[in-house]
Coordinates of all heavy atoms in Angstrom, one line a residue:
M545 N 11.3 14.5 -5.8 CA 12.6 14.2 -5.2 C 12.8 15.1 -4.0 O 12.4 16.2 -3.9 CB 13.7 14.6 -6.2 CG 15.1 14.4 -5.7 SD 16.3 14.6 -7.0 CE 17.3 13.2 -6.7
A546 N 13.4 14.5 -2.9 CA 13.6 15.2 -1.7 C 14.6 16.3 -1.8 O 15.6 16.2 -2.6 CB 14.0 14.2 -0.6
K547 N 14.4 17.4 -1.1 CA 15.5 18.4 -1.1 C 16.7 17.9 -0.5 O 16.7 17.0 0.4 CB 15.0 19.6 -0.2 CG 13.9 20.4 -0.9 CD 13.4 21.5 0.0 CE 14.5 22.5 0.4 NZ 14.0 23.6 1.1
T548 N 17.8 18.4 -0.9 CA 19.1 18.0 -0.4 C 19.9 19.2 0.1 O 19.6 20.3 -0.3 CB 20.0 17.2 -1.5 OG1 20.2 18.1 -2.5 CG2 19.3 16.0 -1.9
K549 N 20.9 18.9 0.9 CA 21.7 20.0 1.4 C 23.1 19.5 1.5 O 23.4 18.3 2.0 CB 21.3 20.5 2.8 CG 22.1 21.6 3.3 CD 21.5 22.2 4.6 CE 22.2 23.5 4.9 NZ 21.6 24.2 6.0
K550 N 24.1 20.2 1.0 CA 25.5 19.8 1.0 C 26.1 20.0 2.4 O 25.9 21.1 3.0 CB 26.3 20.6 0.0 CG 27.6 20.1 -0.2 CD 28.3 20.9 -1.4 CE 29.6 20.2 -1.7 NZ 30.1 20.7 -3.0
V551 N 26.8 19.0 2.9 CA 27.4 19.1 4.2 C 28.8 18.6 4.1 O 29.2 17.9 3.2 CB 26.7 18.3 5.3 CG1 25.3 18.9 5.5 CG2 26.6 16.9 5.0
T552 N 29.6 18.9 5.1 CA 31.0 18.4 5.1 C 31.1 17.4 6.3 O 30.7 17.7 7.4 CB 32.0 19.5 5.3 OG1 31.9 20.4 4.2 CG2 33.4 19.0 5.3
V553 N 31.6 16.2 6.0 CA 31.9 15.2 7.1 C 33.3 14.7 7.0 O 33.9 14.8 5.9 CB 30.9 14.0 7.0 CG1 29.5 14.5 7.2 CG2 31.0 13.3 5.7
T554 N 33.8 14.3 8.1 CA 35.2 13.7 8.1 C 35.0 12.2 8.3 O 34.4 11.7 9.2 CB 36.0 14.3 9.3 OG1 36.0 15.7 9.1 CG2 37.4 13.8 9.3
I555 N 35.7 11.4 7.4 CA 35.6 10.0 7.4 C 37.0 9.4 7.3 O 37.8 10.0 6.5 CB 34.8 9.5 6.1 CG1 33.4 10.0 6.1 CG2 34.8 8.0 6.1 CD1 32.6 9.8 4.9
P556 N 37.3 8.4 8.1 CA 38.6 7.8 8.0 C 39.0 7.4 6.6 O 38.1 6.9 5.8 CB 38.5 6.6 8.9 CG 37.4 6.9 9.9 CD 36.5 7.7 9.1
E557 N 40.2 7.7 6.2 CA 40.6 7.5 4.8 C 40.4 6.1 4.3 O 39.9 5.8 3.2 CB 42.0 8.0 4.6 CG 42.4 8.0 3.1 CD 43.8 8.7 3.0 OE1 44.3 9.4 3.9 OE2 44.4 8.4 1.9
D558 N 40.8 5.1 5.1 CA 40.6 3.7 4.7 C 39.2 3.3 4.5 O 38.8 2.6 3.5 CB 41.3 2.8 5.7 CG 40.7 2.8 7.1 OD1 40.2 3.9 7.5 OD2 40.7 1.8 7.8
L559 N 38.3 3.8 5.3 CA 36.8 3.6 5.2 C 36.3 4.2 3.9 O 35.6 3.6 3.1 CB 36.1 4.1 6.4 CG 34.5 3.9 6.3 CD1 34.2 2.4 6.2 CD2 33.9 4.5 7.6
L560 N 36.7 5.5 3.6 CA 36.3 6.2 2.4 C 36.7 5.4 1.2 O 36.0 5.3 0.2 CB 36.9 7.6 2.4 CG 36.5 8.5 1.2 CD1 35.0 8.6 1.1 CD2 37.2 9.8 1.3
D561 N 38.0 4.9 1.2 CA 38.4 4.1 0.0 C 37.6 2.9 -0.2 O 37.2 2.6 -1.3 CB 39.9 3.7 0.2 CG 40.9 4.9 0.2 OD1 40.5 5.9 -0.3 OD2 42.0 4.7 0.7
E562 N 37.2 2.2 0.9 CA 36.3 1.0 0.8 C 34.9 1.4 0.2 O 34.4 0.8 -0.7 CB 36.1 0.4 2.1 CG 37.2 -0.6 2.6 CD 36.8 -1.2 3.9 OE1 35.7 -1.8 4.0 OE2 37.6 -1.1 4.8
I563 N 34.4 2.5 0.8 CA 33.0 2.9 0.4 C 33.0 3.3 -1.1 O 32.0 3.0 -1.8 CB 32.5 4.1 1.3 CG1 32.4 3.6 2.7 CG2 31.2 4.6 0.8 CD1 32.2 4.7 3.7
R564 N 34.0 4.1 -1.5 CA 34.0 4.5 -2.9 C 33.9 3.4 -3.9 O 33.2 3.4 -4.9 CB 35.2 5.4 -3.2 CG 35.1 6.8 -2.7 CD 36.2 7.7 -3.3 NE 35.8 9.0 -3.0 CZ 36.7 9.9 -2.5 NH1 37.9 9.6 -2.2 NH2 36.3 11.2 -2.3
G565 N 34.6 2.3 -3.6 CA 34.5 1.1 -4.4 C 33.1 0.5 -4.5 O 32.6 0.1 -5.5
E566 N 32.5 0.4 -3.3 CA 31.1 -0.1 -3.3 C 30.0 0.8 -3.8 O 29.0 0.4 -4.3 CB 30.8 -0.5 -1.8 CG 31.6 -1.6 -1.2 CD 31.4 -1.9 0.2 OE1 30.2 -1.6 0.7 OE2 32.3 -2.3 0.9
A567 N 30.3 2.1 -3.7 CA 29.3 3.1 -4.0 C 29.4 3.6 -5.4 O 28.6 4.5 -5.9 CB 29.4 4.3 -3.1
A568 N 30.4 3.1 -6.2 CA 30.7 3.7 -7.5 C 29.5 3.9 -8.4 O 29.3 5.0 -8.9 CB 31.7 2.8 -8.2
E569 N 28.6 2.9 -8.5 CA 27.5 3.0 -9.4 C 26.4 4.0 -8.9 O 25.9 4.7 -9.7 CB 26.9 1.6 -9.6 CG 25.9 1.5 -10.7 CD 25.4 0.1 -11.0 OE1 26.2 -0.7 -11.2 OE2 24.2 -0.1 -10.9
R570 N 26.1 3.9 -7.6 CA 25.1 4.8 -7.1 C 25.6 6.2 -6.8 O 24.9 7.1 -6.7 CB 24.6 4.2 -5.7 CG 23.9 3.0 -5.9 CD 23.4 2.5 -4.5 NE 24.6 1.9 -3.9 CZ 24.6 1.4 -2.7 NH1 23.5 1.4 -2.0 NH2 25.7 0.9 -2.1
G571 N 26.9 6.3 -6.4 CA 27.5 7.6 -6.0 C 27.7 7.6 -4.5 O 26.9 7.0 -3.8
L572 N 28.7 8.3 -4.1 CA 29.0 8.4 -2.7 C 27.9 9.0 -1.9 O 27.5 8.5 -0.8 CB 30.3 9.2 -2.5 CG 30.8 9.2 -1.1 CD1 31.1 7.8 -0.5 CD2 32.1 10.0 -1.0
S573 N 27.3 10.1 -2.4 CA 26.2 10.7 -1.6 C 25.0 9.8 -1.4 O 24.4 9.7 -0.3 CB 25.7 12.0 -2.3 OG 26.7 13.0 -2.3
A574 N 24.6 9.1 -2.4 CA 23.5 8.1 -2.3 C 23.8 7.0 -1.3 O 23.0 6.6 -0.5 CB 23.1 7.5 -3.6
Y575 N 25.1 6.5 -1.3 CA 25.5 5.5 -0.4 C 25.5 6.0 1.0 O 24.9 5.3 1.9 CB 26.9 5.0 -0.8 CG 27.4 3.9 0.0 CD1 27.3 2.6 -0.5 CD2 28.1 4.1 1.2 CE1 27.8 1.5 0.2 CE2 28.5 3.0 2.0 CZ 28.4 1.7 1.5 OH 28.9 0.7 2.2
V576 N 26.0 7.2 1.3 CA 26.0 7.7 2.6 C 24.6 8.0 3.1 O 24.3 7.7 4.2 CB 26.9 9.0 2.7 CG1 26.7 9.7 4.0 CG2 28.4 8.6 2.4
A577 N 23.7 8.5 2.3 CA 22.4 8.8 2.6 C 21.7 7.5 3.0 O 20.9 7.4 4.0 CB 21.6 9.5 1.5
E578 N 21.9 6.4 2.2 CA 21.3 5.1 2.6 C 21.8 4.6 3.9 O 21.0 4.1 4.7 CB 21.6 4.1 1.4 CG 20.9 2.8 1.7 CD 21.2 1.8 0.5 OE1 21.5 2.2 -0.6 OE2 21.2 0.6 0.8
A579 N 23.1 4.7 4.1 CA 23.7 4.3 5.4 C 23.1 5.0 6.6 O 22.9 4.5 7.6 CB 25.2 4.4 5.3
L580 N 23.0 6.3 6.4 CA 22.4 7.1 7.5 C 20.9 6.8 7.8 O 20.5 6.7 8.9 CB 22.5 8.6 7.2 CG 24.0 9.2 7.2 CD1 24.0 10.6 6.7 CD2 24.5 9.1 8.6
R581 N 20.2 6.5 6.7 CA 18.8 6.1 6.9 C 18.7 4.7 7.7 O 17.9 4.5 8.6 CB 18.1 6.0 5.6 CG 17.6 7.3 5.0 CD 16.7 7.1 3.8 NE 16.4 8.4 3.3 CZ 17.1 9.0 2.2 NH1 18.0 8.3 1.6 NH2 16.8 10.2 1.8
F582 N 19.6 3.8 7.3 CA 19.7 2.5 7.9 C 20.0 2.7 9.4 O 19.4 2.1 10.2 CB 20.8 1.7 7.2 CG 20.9 0.3 7.7 CD1 20.0 -0.7 7.4 CD2 21.9 0.0 8.6 CE1 20.1 -2.0 7.9 CE2 22.0 -1.3 9.2 CZ 21.2 -2.3 8.8
K583 N 21.0 3.5 9.7 CA 21.4 3.7 11.1 C 20.2 4.4 11.9 O 19.9 4.0 13.0 CB 22.6 4.6 11.1 CG 23.1 5.1 12.5 CD 23.6 3.9 13.3 CE 24.2 4.5 14.6 NZ 23.5 4.0 15.8
R584 N 19.6 5.4 11.3 CA 18.5 6.0 11.9 C 17.3 5.0 12.2 O 16.8 5.0 13.3 CB 17.9 7.2 11.0 CG 16.8 7.9 11.7 CD 15.8 8.5 10.7 NE 15.4 7.6 9.7 CZ 15.0 7.9 8.4 NH1 15.1 9.1 8.0 NH2 14.6 6.9 7.6
D585 N 17.0 4.2 11.2 CA 16.0 3.2 11.4 C 16.3 2.2 12.5 O 15.5 1.8 13.3 CB 15.7 2.5 10.1 CG 15.1 3.3 9.0 OD1 14.6 4.5 9.4 OD2 15.0 2.9 7.9
R586 N 17.6 1.8 12.6 CA 18.0 0.9 13.6 C 17.9 1.5 15.0 O 17.5 0.9 16.0 CB 19.4 0.4 13.4 CG 19.6 -0.6 12.2 CD 18.9 -1.9 12.5 NE 19.0 -2.8 11.4 CZ 19.1 -4.1 11.4 NH1 19.1 -4.7 12.6 NH2 19.1 -4.8 10.3
D587 N 18.3 2.8 15.1 CA 18.2 3.5 16.3 C 16.8 3.6 16.8 O 16.5 3.4 18.0 CB 18.8 4.9 16.2 CG 20.3 5.0 16.1 OD1 21.0 3.9 16.3 OD2 20.9 6.0 15.7
R588 N 15.9 3.9 15.9 CA 14.4 3.9 16.2 C 13.9 2.6 16.7 O 13.1 2.5 17.6 CB 13.6 4.4 15.0 CG 13.8 5.9 14.7 CD 13.0 6.3 13.5 NE 13.1 7.7 13.3 CZ 12.7 8.3 12.2 NH1 12.1 7.6 11.2 NH2 12.8 9.6 12.1
L589 N 14.4 1.5 16.0 CA 14.0 0.2 16.4 C 14.5 -0.1 17.8 O 13.8 -0.7 18.7 CB 14.5 -0.9 15.5 CG 13.7 -1.0 14.2 CD1 14.4 -2.0 13.2 CD2 12.3 -1.5 14.4
R590 N 15.7 0.3 18.1 CA 16.3 0.0 19.4 C 15.5 0.8 20.5 O 15.2 0.3 21.6 CB 17.7 0.4 19.5 CG 18.3 0.2 20.9 CD 19.8 0.0 21.0 NE 20.4 -0.9 20.1 CZ 20.4 -2.3 20.3 NH1 19.8 -2.8 21.4 NH2 21.0 -3.1 19.5
E591 N 15.1 2.1 20.2 CA 14.3 2.9 21.1 C 13.0 2.2 21.4 O 12.5 2.1 22.5 CB 14.1 4.3 20.5 CG 13.4 5.2 21.4 CD 13.3 6.6 20.8 OE1 14.2 7.1 20.1 OE2 12.2 7.2 21.0
L592 N 12.3 1.7 20.3 CA 11.1 1.0 20.5 C 11.2 -0.2 21.3 O 10.5 -0.5 22.2 CB 10.5 0.7 19.1 CG 9.2 -0.2 19.1 CD1 8.1 0.5 19.9 CD2 8.8 -0.5 17.7
S593 N 12.3 -1.0 21.0 CA 12.6 -2.2 21.8 C 12.8 -1.9 23.3 O 12.2 -2.6 24.1 CB 13.8 -2.9 21.2 OG 14.2 -4.0 22.0
D594 N 13.6 -0.9 23.5 CA 13.8 -0.5 24.9 C 12.5 -0.1 25.6 O 12.2 -0.5 26.8 CB 14.8 0.7 25.0 CG 16.2 0.3 24.6 OD1 16.5 -0.9 24.5 OD2 17.0 1.2 24.4
W595 N 11.7 0.7 24.9 CA 10.4 1.1 25.5 C 9.5 -0.1 25.8 O 8.9 -0.2 26.8 CB 9.7 2.1 24.6 CG 8.4 2.5 25.1 CD1 8.1 3.4 26.1 CD2 7.1 2.0 24.7 NE1 6.7 3.5 26.3 CE2 6.1 2.6 25.5 CE3 6.7 1.0 23.8 CZ2 4.7 2.3 25.3 CZ3 5.4 0.7 23.7 CH2 4.4 1.4 24.4
L596 N 9.4 -1.0 24.8 CA 8.6 -2.2 25.0 C 9.1 -3.1 26.1 O 8.2 -3.6 26.9 CB 8.5 -3.0 23.7 CG 7.7 -2.4 22.5 CD1 8.0 -3.2 21.3 CD2 6.2 -2.4 22.9
Q597 N 10.4 -3.2 26.3 CA 10.9 -4.0 27.4 C 10.6 -3.3 28.8 O 10.4 -4.0 29.8 CB 12.4 -4.2 27.2 CG 12.7 -5.2 26.1 CD 14.1 -5.6 26.0 OE1 14.7 -6.2 26.9 NE2 14.7 -5.2 24.9
E598 N 10.6 -2.0 28.8 CA 10.3 -1.2 30.0 C 8.8 -1.5 30.4 O 8.5 -1.7 31.5 CB 10.5 0.3 29.9 CG 11.9 0.7 29.9 CD 12.1 2.2 29.6 OE1 11.1 2.9 29.7 OE2 13.2 2.6 29.2
E599 N 8.0 -1.5 29.4 CA 6.5 -1.7 29.6 C 6.1 -3.2 29.9 O 5.2 -3.4 30.6 CB 5.8 -1.2 28.3 CG 5.8 0.3 28.1 CD 5.0 1.0 29.2 OE1 3.9 0.6 29.5 OE2 5.6 2.0 29.7
H600 N 6.8 -4.1 29.2 CA 6.4 -5.5 29.2 C 7.4 -6.5 29.7 O 7.2 -7.7 29.7 CB 5.9 -6.0 27.8 CG 4.9 -5.1 27.3 ND1 3.5 -5.2 27.7 CD2 4.9 -4.1 26.3 CE1 2.8 -4.2 27.0 NE2 3.6 -3.6 26.2
G601 N 8.5 -6.0 30.2 CA 9.6 -6.8 30.7 C 10.6 -7.3 29.6 O 10.3 -7.1 28.4
P602 N 11.7 -7.8 30.0 CA 12.7 -8.1 29.0 C 12.3 -9.3 28.1 O 11.5 -10.2 28.5 CB 14.0 -8.5 29.8 CG 13.4 -8.8 31.2 CD 12.1 -8.0 31.3
L603 N 12.9 -9.4 26.9 CA 12.7 -10.6 26.0 C 13.4 -11.8 26.6 O 14.4 -11.7 27.2 CB 13.2 -10.3 24.6 CG 12.6 -9.1 23.9 CD1 13.4 -8.8 22.6 CD2 11.1 -9.4 23.5
S604 N 12.7 -12.9 26.3 CA 13.4 -14.2 26.6 C 14.5 -14.4 25.5 O 14.5 -13.7 24.5 CB 12.4 -15.4 26.6 OG 12.0 -15.6 25.2
E605 N 15.4 -15.3 25.8 CA 16.5 -15.6 24.8 C 15.8 -16.1 23.5 O 16.3 -15.7 22.4 CB 17.5 -16.6 25.3 CG 18.8 -16.6 24.5 CD 19.5 -15.3 24.3 OE1 19.5 -14.5 25.3 OE2 19.9 -15.0 23.2
D606 N 14.8 -16.9 23.6 CA 14.1 -17.4 22.4 C 13.5 -16.3 21.6 O 13.5 -16.3 20.4 CB 13.1 -18.4 22.8 CG 13.7 -19.8 23.2 OD1 14.9 -20.0 23.0 OD2 12.9 -20.6 23.8
E607 N 12.8 -15.3 22.3 CA 12.2 -14.2 21.6 C 13.3 -13.3 20.9 O 13.1 -12.9 19.8 CB 11.4 -13.4 22.6 CG 10.2 -14.0 23.1 CD 9.5 -13.3 24.3 OE1 10.3 -12.7 25.1 OE2 8.3 -13.3 24.3
R608 N 14.4 -13.1 21.6 CA 15.5 -12.3 21.1 C 16.0 -13.0 19.8 O 16.2 -12.3 18.8 CB 16.5 -12.1 22.1 CG 17.7 -11.2 21.7 CD 18.7 -11.0 22.8 NE 18.1 -10.5 24.0 CZ 17.8 -9.2 24.3 NH1 18.0 -8.3 23.4 NH2 17.3 -8.9 25.4
T609 N 16.3 -14.3 19.9 CA 16.8 -15.0 18.8 C 15.9 -15.0 17.6 O 16.3 -14.7 16.4 CB 17.1 -16.5 19.1 OG1 18.1 -16.5 20.2 CG2 17.6 -17.3 18.0
A610 N 14.6 -15.2 17.8 CA 13.6 -15.1 16.8 C 13.5 -13.7 16.1 O 13.4 -13.6 14.9 CB 12.2 -15.5 17.3
A611 N 13.6 -12.7 16.9 CA 13.6 -11.3 16.4 C 14.8 -11.0 15.5 O 14.6 -10.5 14.4 CB 13.6 -10.3 17.6
F612 N 16.0 -11.5 15.9 CA 17.2 -11.3 15.1 C 17.1 -12.1 13.8 O 17.5 -11.6 12.8 CB 18.4 -11.6 15.9 CG 18.9 -10.4 16.8 CD1 18.9 -10.6 18.1 CD2 19.2 -9.2 16.3 CE1 19.3 -9.6 19.0 CE2 19.5 -8.1 17.1 CZ 19.6 -8.3 18.5
E613 N 16.5 -13.3 13.9 CA 16.4 -14.1 12.7 C 15.4 -13.4 11.7 O 15.7 -13.3 10.5 CB 15.8 -15.5 13.0 CG 16.9 -16.3 13.6 CD 16.3 -17.7 14.1 OE1 15.1 -17.9 14.0 OE2 17.1 -18.5 14.7
E614 N 14.3 -12.8 12.2 CA 13.4 -12.0 11.3 C 14.1 -10.8 10.7 O 13.9 -10.5 9.5 CB 12.2 -11.6 12.1 CG 11.2 -12.8 12.4 CD 9.9 -12.3 13.0 OE1 9.4 -11.3 12.5 OE2 9.4 -13.0 13.9
L615 N 14.9 -10.1 11.5 CA 15.6 -8.9 11.0 C 16.6 -9.4 9.9 O 16.7 -8.7 8.9 CB 16.4 -8.2 12.1 CG 15.5 -7.3 13.0 CD1 16.4 -6.8 14.1 CD2 14.9 -6.2 12.2
D616 N 17.3 -10.5 10.1 CA 18.2 -11.0 9.1 C 17.4 -11.3 7.8 O 17.9 -11.0 6.7 CB 18.9 -12.2 9.6 CG 20.0 -11.9 10.6 OD1 20.4 -10.7 10.7 OD2 20.4 -12.9 11.3
D617 N 16.2 -12.0 8.0 CA 15.4 -12.3 6.8 C 15.0 -11.0 6.0 O 15.0 -11.0 4.8 CB 14.2 -13.1 7.2 CG 14.5 -14.5 7.7 OD1 15.6 -15.0 7.4 OD2 13.6 -15.1 8.2
L618 N 14.6 -10.0 6.8 CA 14.2 -8.7 6.2 C 15.4 -8.1 5.5 O 15.2 -7.5 4.4 CB 13.6 -7.8 7.2 CG 12.2 -8.1 7.8 CD1 11.9 -7.3 9.0 CD2 11.2 -8.0 6.7
D619 N 16.5 -8.1 6.1 CA 17.7 -7.5 5.5 C 18.0 -8.2 4.2 O 18.4 -7.6 3.2 CB 18.9 -7.6 6.4 CG 18.8 -6.6 7.5 OD1 18.0 -5.6 7.4 OD2 19.6 -6.7 8.5
T620 N 17.9 -9.6 4.2 CA 18.2 -10.4 3.0 C 17.2 -10.0 1.9 O 17.6 -9.8 0.7 CB 18.1 -11.9 3.3 OG1 19.1 -12.2 4.3 CG2 18.4 -12.7 2.1
E621 N 15.9 -9.9 2.3 CA 14.9 -9.6 1.3 C 15.2 -8.2 0.7 O 15.0 -7.9 -0.5 CB 13.5 -9.7 1.9 CG 12.4 -9.3 1.0 CD 12.2 -10.2 -0.3 OE1 12.7 -11.3 -0.3 OE2 11.6 -9.7 -1.3
H622 N 15.5 -7.2 1.6 CA 15.8 -5.9 1.1 C 16.9 -5.9 0.1 O 16.9 -5.2 -0.9 CB 16.1 -5.0 2.3 CG 16.6 -3.6 1.9 ND1 15.7 -2.6 1.5 CD2 17.8 -3.1 1.9 CE1 16.4 -1.6 1.2 NE2 17.7 -1.8 1.5
E623 N 18.0 -6.6 0.5 CA 19.2 -6.6 -0.4 C 18.8 -7.3 -1.7 O 19.2 -6.8 -2.8 CB 20.3 -7.4 0.3 CG 21.6 -7.4 -0.6 CD 22.2 -6.1 -0.8 OE1 21.9 -5.1 -0.1 OE2 23.0 -6.0 -1.8
H624 N 18.0 -8.3 -1.7 CA 17.6 -9.0 -2.9 C 16.8 -8.0 -3.8 O 17.0 -8.0 -5.0 CB 16.7 -10.2 -2.6 CG 16.1 -10.9 -3.8 ND1 16.8 -11.6 -4.7 CD2 14.8 -10.9 -4.2 CE1 16.0 -12.0 -5.6 NE2 14.8 -11.6 -5.3
R625 N 15.8 -7.3 -3.2 CA 15.0 -6.4 -4.0 C 15.9 -5.2 -4.5 O 15.7 -4.8 -5.6 CB 13.9 -5.8 -3.1 CG 12.8 -6.8 -2.8 CD 11.8 -6.3 -1.9 NE 10.8 -7.3 -1.6 CZ 9.5 -7.1 -1.5 NH1 9.0 -5.9 -1.8 NH2 8.7 -8.1 -1.2
R626 N 16.8 -4.8 -3.7 CA 17.7 -3.7 -4.2 C 18.5 -4.1 -5.3 O 18.6 -3.4 -6.3 CB 18.6 -3.2 -3.0 CG 19.4 -1.9 -3.3 CD 20.2 -1.5 -2.2 NE 21.3 -2.4 -1.9 CZ 22.4 -2.6 -2.6 NH1 22.6 -1.8 -3.7 NH2 23.3 -3.5 -2.3
T627 N 19.1 -5.3 -5.3 CA 20.0 -5.7 -6.4 C 19.2 -6.1 -7.6 O 19.6 -5.9 -8.7 CB 20.9 -6.9 -5.9 OG1 20.1 -7.9 -5.4 CG2 21.9 -6.4 -4.9
A628 N 18.0 -6.7 -7.3 CA 17.1 -7.1 -8.5 C 16.6 -5.8 -9.2 O 16.5 -5.8 -10.4 CB 15.9 -7.9 -8.0
G629 N 16.4 -4.7 -8.5 CA 16.0 -3.5 -9.1 C 17.0 -2.9 -10.1 O 16.7 -2.3 -11.1
K630 N 18.3 -3.2 -9.8 CA 19.3 -2.7 -10.7 C 19.2 -3.5 -12.0 O 19.5 -2.9 -13.1 CB 20.7 -3.0 -10.1 CG 21.0 -2.1 -9.0 CD 22.4 -2.4 -8.4 CE 22.8 -1.6 -7.2 NZ 24.1 -1.9 -6.7
H631 N 18.9 -4.8 -12.0 CA 18.8 -5.6 -13.2 C 17.5 -5.4 -13.9 O 17.5 -5.6 -15.1 CB 19.0 -7.1 -12.8 CG 20.3 -7.3 -12.1 ND1 21.5 -7.1 -12.6 CD2 20.5 -7.8 -10.8 CE1 22.5 -7.4 -11.7 NE2 21.9 -7.8 -10.6
D632 N 16.5 -5.1 -13.2 CA 15.1 -5.0 -13.9 C 14.7 -3.5 -14.0 O 13.5 -3.2 -14.1 CB 14.1 -5.7 -13.0 CG 14.4 -7.1 -12.8 OD1 15.1 -7.7 -13.7 OD2 14.0 -7.7 -11.8
A633 N 15.7 -2.6 -14.1 CA 15.3 -1.2 -14.1 C 14.4 -0.8 -15.2 O 13.6 0.1 -15.1 CB 16.6 -0.3 -14.2
G634 N 14.4 -1.5 -16.4 CA 13.6 -1.1 -17.5 C 12.2 -1.8 -17.5 O 11.4 -1.5 -18.3
E635 N 12.0 -2.7 -16.6 CA 10.8 -3.5 -16.5 C 9.8 -2.8 -15.6 O 10.1 -2.2 -14.7 CB 11.0 -4.9 -16.1 CG 12.0 -5.7 -17.0 CD 12.2 -7.1 -16.4 OE1 11.5 -7.5 -15.6 OE2 13.2 -7.7 -16.9
A636 N 8.5 -3.0 -16.0 CA 7.4 -2.5 -15.1 C 7.3 -3.4 -13.9 O 7.6 -4.6 -13.9 CB 6.1 -2.5 -15.9
A637 N 6.9 -2.7 -12.8 CA 6.8 -3.5 -11.5 C 5.5 -4.4 -11.5 O 4.6 -4.2 -12.1 CB 6.7 -2.5 -10.3

């Protein structure tokens, strides 16, 4: 298990209320950690995309559309696996 460190953050109250409902089973800390990892990964992808466009020129609209469709497919698959894991927790992979 990764080391953890307790920190204090300020979150708008209405957002916190929403998150608590969604994060109830996993816990708020796990939910926030997952959200931060997701944001970090997206930032890294954007950085890579920017670098590739500097090196090879901008994407065409067709390339951009295809890339976003692939990301949507990956997000859907990730969500499917995450929710399936909750139901199959006792089964071997």
Side-chain angles (χ1 to χ4, degrees):
M545 178 174 225
K547 287 178 58 175
T548 61
K549 184 169 186 170
K550 189 172 188 168
V551 298
T552 301
V553 297
T554 302
I555 301 172
E557 191 172 339
D558 60 330
L559 178 59
L560 181 59
D561 291 342
E562 277 184 54
I563 296 170
R564 279 195 169 130
E566 294 176 28
E569 191 174 302
R570 294 179 285 180
L572 186 59
S573 292
Y575 185 94
V576 170
E578 182 179 336
L580 289 171
R581 283 188 183 98
F582 181 81
K583 173 69 170 117
R584 181 208 53 209
D585 292 348
R586 290 291 177 149
D587 288 347
R588 287 177 175 172
L589 283 172
R590 177 156 313 277
E591 185 179 323
L592 174 61
S593 174
D594 291 346
W595 177 81
L596 288 170
Q597 288 186 65
E598 286 175 19
E599 291 292 314
H600 304 284
L603 296 172
S604 69
E605 194 56 40
D606 288 343
E607 290 170 324
R608 185 178 304 279
T609 299
F612 280 117
E613 287 173 357
E614 286 187 43
L615 283 174
D616 287 343
D617 290 347
L618 288 170
D619 287 343
T620 300
E621 178 64 20
H622 172 75
E623 181 64 20
H624 173 74
R625 289 177 185 222
R626 188 180 65 78
T627 57
K630 289 180 182 177
H631 304 299
D632 301 333
E635 297 178 19

